[in-house]
């Protein structure tokens, strides 16, 4: 089970994030998770949204966008919660390319992490076997 | 100290020079017509036969030759002697499509060496001098061209080639170099490095520099002269006609004397091809009248300049050309290398399978050219992670370097961020003020 992430190429210049998120606001698209990776000259804005299709259609006309399948995993929000998940992935020989957290809290004691790994299938299998719950696209829109 | 290398030629009166040129031209036209089918075809098409060319005054009747003709005849379609008579080639930088290969017989090399010897002599060089050559050696004509001229004069020749600047300076000190030959930007860089090393021009024995292969300003000349404690001389040439030494500067430093016993110069209107009178600004056209292997008749250099005749204060009567004031095509000279936007398009097309919008930005910081290529990214070039974008930049940069021989900073930018003019992207922004 994976969710669709939109990645937007953005040059480092004032007003770029404002313009891009403004487009989503106009379309009534809600942002469920967001991160910005930056380098000297450009950044990559990564988003998981309530309505991927309409976000994609509005962004496509204004920016370079690509869609990637990533994992949305429920982690325990307590000391050692992250370490345990990373160990599960490490033991299954899965590399994490990047990760960030989503804005949604399925419950008081849980957090939602977005993971981009080198092998989605193996990661889903390993995490599920270790008892982790993964969220679907619908869950991301609903919760 | 000898003032001239070939005094009789360099100070010849105009009528005698014209007679010499005419005699050589008539012979040359016959030579190419008989040995190069392509020329024969061009001349037949224009309805000109070798018999119509009786002297310099008939030159205008001949068809022009351009880089496109060289490209169409790559690699050896314009060769006028059997390959077994040739002893060397040189080539311009660029892709196969744009590269011009020039062939030389032993006599061609000898004439070229003599042309360069005149330049070295005009810069005050004699066999007592130590000539330090920091032009690149190889297919580029700079290194071996100056090398040959220096040998001819009998100077101790240091074939240092370019790069490793501190080692260059070490050699200059240890071997007491007196004449430096390189591109003006490299000369400026050597000057800066000397200062950075805590040395002054007094720590060196340089007295003159012969600099060419790229445009440079009068301000740059003064700055190089100060930083190295030398007198700086300009030299002009192009691979298609031989290499450096087609024209050279004398101590007057106000224009370059063309070795017109070997190269007849004309100035034309680049749009109409009409020959313009002396003193007019236009495109420089050369006819090589002594070359055996690769003789070009009325070759359009695309360099814009002015020719002036009249005895120079140095005593030479050879016609003088100004520094090139621009180009009549889209070629850029960056760090001494000829760059055509189409070469960059070739790389982009190969790496992306399509030509994205791009822009070349050239500037000069201090005395060094900067070269940036902005490329508009498209969805299928973008791969979500920073490392894929950086890998793309790296690949482009490597491919550009492979084709052009110089590095460019690659900047991937957002779509539609490159300014358009009348719907077309502005391809080149040259911020250098060279003329």
């Amino acid at each position: 089970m994976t969710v669709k992430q939109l990645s937007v190429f953005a040059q480092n210049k004032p007003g770029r994030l404002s313009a891009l998120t403004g487009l989503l606001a106009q379309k009534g698209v809600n942002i469920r998770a967001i991160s910005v990776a930056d380098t000297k000259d450009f950044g990559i804005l990564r988003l998981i949204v309530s309505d991927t299709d309409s976000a994609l259609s509005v962004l496509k006309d204004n920016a370079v966008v690509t869609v990637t399948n990533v994992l949305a995993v429920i982690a325990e929000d307590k000391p050692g919660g992250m370490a345990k998940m990373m160990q599960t992935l490490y033991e299954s020989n899965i590399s994490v390319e990047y990760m960030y957290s989503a804005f949604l809290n399925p419950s008081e004691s849980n957090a939602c992490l977005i993971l981009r790994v080198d092998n989605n299938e193996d990661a889903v299998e390993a995490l599920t076997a270790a008892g982790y719950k993964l969220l679907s696209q619908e869950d991301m829109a609903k919760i | 100290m000898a003032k001239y290398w070939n005094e009789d030629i360099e100070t010849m009166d105009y009528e005698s020079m014209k007679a010499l040129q005419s005699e050589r031209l008539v012979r040359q036209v016959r030579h190419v017509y008989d040995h190069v089918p392509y020329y024969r075809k061009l001349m037949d098409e224009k309805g000109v036969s070798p018999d119509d060319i009786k002297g310099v005054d008939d030159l205008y009747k001949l068809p022009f030759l351009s880089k496109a003709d060289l490209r169409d005849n790559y690699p050896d379609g314009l060769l006028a002697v059997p390959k077994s008579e040739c002893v060397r080639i040189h080539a311009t930088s660029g892709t196969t499509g744009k590269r011009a290969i020039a062939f030389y017989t032993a006599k061609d090399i000898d004439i070229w060496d003599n042309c360069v010897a005149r330049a070295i002599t005009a810069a005050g060089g004699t066999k007592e001098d130590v000539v330090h050559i920091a032009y690149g050696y190889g297919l580029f004509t700079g290194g071996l061209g100056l090398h040959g001229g220096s040998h001819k004069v009998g100077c101790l020749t240091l074939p240092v080639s370019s790069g490793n600047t501190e080692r260059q300076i070490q050699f200059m000190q240890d071997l007491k170099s007196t004449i430096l030959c390189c591109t003006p930007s490299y000369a400026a860089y050597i000057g800066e490095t000397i200062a950075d090393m805590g040395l002054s021009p007094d720590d060196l024995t340089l007295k003159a520099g012969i600099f060419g292969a790229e445009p440079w300003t009068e301000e740059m000349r003064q700055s190089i002269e100060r930083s190295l404690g030398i007198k700086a001389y300009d030299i002009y040439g192009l691979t298609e006609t031989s290499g450096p030494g087609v024209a050279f500067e004398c101590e007057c430093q106000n224009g370059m004397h063309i070795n017109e016993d070997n190269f007849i110069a004309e100035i034309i209107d680049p749009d109409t091809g009409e020959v313009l009178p002396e003193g007019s600004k236009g495109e420089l056209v050369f006819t090589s009248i002594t070359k055996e292997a690769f003789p070009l008749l009325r070759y359009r250099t695309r360099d814009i300049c002015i020719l002036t005749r009249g005895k120079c204060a140095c005593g030479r009567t050879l016609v003088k050309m100004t520094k090139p004031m621009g180009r009549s095509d889209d070629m850029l000279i960056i760090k001494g290398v000829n760059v055509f936007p189409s070469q960059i398009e070739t790389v982009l097309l190969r790496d992306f399978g399509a030509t994205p919008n791009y822009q070349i930005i050239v500037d000069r910081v201090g005395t060094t050219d900067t070269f940036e290529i902005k490329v508009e990214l498209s969805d299928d070039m973008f791969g979500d992670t920073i490392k894929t974008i950086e890998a793309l930049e790296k690949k482009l940069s490597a491919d550009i370097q492979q084709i052009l021989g110089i590095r460019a900073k690659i900047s991937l930018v957002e779509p539609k961020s490159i300014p358009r003019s009348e719907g077309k992207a502005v391809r080149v922004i040259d911020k250098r003020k060279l003329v």
Side-chain angles (χ1 to χ4, degrees):
Chain A
M1 193 181 335
T2 59
V3 295
K4 290 197 185 317
Q5 169 192 261
L6 298 176
S7 302
V8 186
F9 176 84
Q11 273 171 269
N12 287 351
K13 58 183 180 193
R16 208 51 202 128
L17 285 176
S18 159
L20 290 168
T21 52
L23 291 169
L24 298 178
Q26 278 171 24
K27 284 275 168 184
V29 172
N30 193 16
I31 298 172
R32 308 312 327 267
I34 188 166
S35 88
V36 177
D38 70 302
T39 71
K40 190 162 70 57
D41 301 312
F42 65 87
I44 298 176
L45 176 67
R46 299 191 180 109
L47 301 152
I48 294 169
V49 295
S50 57
D51 181 348
T52 305
D53 290 343
S54 56
L56 187 59
S57 71
V58 64
L59 289 173
K60 251 197 175 331
D61 293 336
N62 295 279
V64 179
V65 193
T66 182
V67 180
T68 319
N69 291 322
V70 294
L71 305 180
V73 193
I74 304 295
E76 289 175 288
D77 190 5
K78 66 173 192 190
M82 176 66 86
K84 205 176 129 217
M85 188 193 294
M86 290 302 112
Q87 173 141 17
T88 303
L89 292 172
Y90 172 61
E91 282 168 359
S92 305
N93 209 16
I94 289 157
S95 295
V96 176
E97 308 256 347
Y98 56 79
M99 64 178 167
Y100 53 99
S101 70
F103 297 136
L104 40 102
N105 289 68
S107 78
E108 285 296 313
S109 59
N110 284 337
C112 176
L113 280 176
I114 308 299
L115 289 175
R116 164 90 198 256
V117 295
D118 59 349
N119 186 328
N120 276 342
E121 238 169 82
D122 290 358
V124 170
E125 198 184 307
L127 289 168
T128 312
Y132 286 98
K133 181 173 170 4
L134 283 92
L135 298 182
S136 69
Q137 198 76 45
E138 294 74 43
D139 295 334
M140 291 300 287
K142 263 191 331 237
I143 296 173
Chain B
M1 186 176 84
K3 198 164 181 253
Y4 312 105
W5 179 250
N6 297 127
E7 184 165 359
D8 51 337
I9 294 285
E10 294 176 60
T11 60
M12 186 177 270
D13 67 89
Y14 179 54
E15 285 311 310
S16 309
M17 177 59 75
K18 205 171 158 186
L20 179 67
Q21 287 180 330
S22 293
E23 179 205 319
R24 289 178 171 175
L25 175 67
V26 169
R27 200 171 50 212
Q28 187 73 299
V29 172
R30 174 57 71 184
H31 172 57
V32 297
Y33 189 83
D34 289 348
H35 296 104
V36 185
Y38 187 77
Y39 265 111
R40 180 188 289 256
K41 183 177 129 275
L42 284 186
M43 285 174 64
D44 289 348
E45 277 168 11
K46 208 164 184 268
V48 197
S49 89
D51 293 336
D52 297 327
I53 309 301
K54 298 194 167 61
V56 176
D57 292 336
D58 297 320
L59 189 58
Y60 74 94
K61 294 175 183 166
L62 292 168
F64 289 115
L65 210 64
S66 70
K67 214 171 187 100
D69 297 296
L70 267 53
R71 190 175 51 216
D72 293 346
N73 287 283
Y74 177 89
D76 55 7
L78 294 176
L79 191 57
V81 298
K83 234 183 233 166
S84 57
E85 296 303 306
C86 298
V87 296
R88 203 200 285 174
I89 66 148
H90 280 284
T92 60
S93 55
T95 54
T96 307
K98 285 282 180 185
R99 183 175 285 147
I101 294 186
F103 292 82
Y104 304 76
T105 64
K107 188 175 163 226
D108 291 336
I109 296 280
D110 190 59
I111 289 174
W112 181 19
D113 288 350
N114 264 302
C115 289
V116 177
R118 290 179 194 169
I120 292 172
T121 307
T126 69
K127 70 181 292 291
E128 307 301 321
D129 279 291
V130 178
V131 175
H132 184 112
I133 299 170
Y135 277 114
Y137 277 63
L139 288 173
F140 174 52
T141 51
L144 284 163
L146 268 298
H147 185 98
S150 172
H151 262 222
K152 192 60 119 179
V153 176
C155 309
L156 173 59
T157 308
L158 312 186
V160 197
S161 198
S162 51
N164 200 342
T165 308
E166 296 204 359
R167 187 185 67 184
Q168 303 263 3
I169 295 166
Q170 186 73 51
F171 267 112
M172 285 181 198
Q173 289 187 292
D174 295 348
L175 291 160
K176 309 228 176 307
S177 308
T178 55
I179 299 178
L180 171 65
C181 306
C182 60
T183 60
S185 52
Y186 193 52
Y189 183 71
I190 291 174
E192 287 162 20
T193 309
I194 284 169
D196 289 346
M197 289 166 75
L199 299 171
S200 85
D202 292 341
D203 296 312
L204 302 175
T205 46
L206 289 177
K207 64 175 187 185
I210 301 174
F211 307 127
E214 67 184 9
W216 51 311
T217 58
E218 202 49 45
E219 291 70 38
M220 202 165 160
R221 186 207 303 268
Q222 285 161 17
S223 140
I224 293 170
E225 289 187 335
R226 264 197 313 275
S227 70
L228 292 173
I230 60 170
K231 193 157 170 163
Y233 297 84
D234 203 352
I235 189 166
Y236 175 89
L238 54 167
T239 308
E240 295 90 323
T241 55
S242 61
V246 170
F248 62 94
E249 221 169 34
C250 62
E251 73 258 25
C252 301
Q253 292 180 317
N254 64 354
M256 292 176 275
H257 291 286
I258 294 172
N259 282 314
E260 56 181 335
D261 53 326
N262 300 306
F263 311 101
I264 304 178
E266 296 172 279
I267 290 289
I268 62 161
D269 178 326
D271 297 324
T272 64
E274 184 198 352
V275 179
L276 301 176
E278 187 196 325
S280 311
K281 185 168 157 182
E283 184 182 329
L284 184 60
V285 173
F286 279 119
T287 297
S288 39
I289 46 176
T290 49
K291 267 204 123 183
E292 296 177 327
F294 196 67
L296 298 185
L297 303 185
R298 301 197 89 199
Y299 181 69
R300 295 185 58 162
T301 64
R302 300 289 173 184
D303 280 328
I304 301 291
C305 71
I306 297 169
L307 295 181
T308 51
R309 205 168 272 288
K311 197 164 170 168
C312 180
C314 74
R316 287 178 186 81
T317 50
L318 298 171
V319 68
K320 285 206 283 195
M321 61 178 276
T322 59
K323 272 180 190 294
M325 300 156 148
R327 299 274 307 171
S328 65
D329 62 6
D330 59 358
M331 190 182 89
L332 293 158
I333 303 178
I334 305 170
K335 299 178 188 176
V337 173
N338 298 350
V339 175
F340 287 93
S342 57
Q343 293 174 297
I344 288 158
E345 280 174 29
T346 307
V347 174
L348 294 173
L349 187 66
R350 203 176 60 198
D351 287 0
F352 299 133
T355 309
N357 266 313
Y358 70 93
Q359 187 172 55
I360 301 165
I361 300 163
V362 193
D363 203 350
R364 191 163 276 178
V365 176
T367 50
T368 308
D369 288 340
T370 61
F371 177 26
E372 180 184 10
I373 304 171
K374 285 187 176 177
V375 182
E376 283 187 2
L377 202 63
S378 61
D379 290 347
D380 48 355
M381 289 155 65
F382 177 49
D384 170 50
T385 58
I386 285 171
K387 68 182 177 206
T388 56
I389 295 179
E390 286 178 343
L392 190 62
E393 285 181 341
K394 222 174 183 168
K395 174 164 172 47
L396 264 183
S397 179
D399 290 347
I400 293 283
Q401 176 153 24
Q402 204 208 346
I403 293 253
L404 300 177
I406 51 170
R407 290 176 68 86
K409 176 184 181 337
I410 305 292
S411 302
L412 296 174
V413 299
E414 289 183 43
K416 297 172 204 149
S417 64
I418 290 174
R420 272 33 174 203
S421 164
E422 289 167 4
K424 277 180 70 183
V426 182
R427 289 281 181 241
V428 177
I429 295 184
D430 193 342
K431 298 176 180 168
R432 300 172 296 181
K433 289 181 180 58
L434 295 175
V435 280

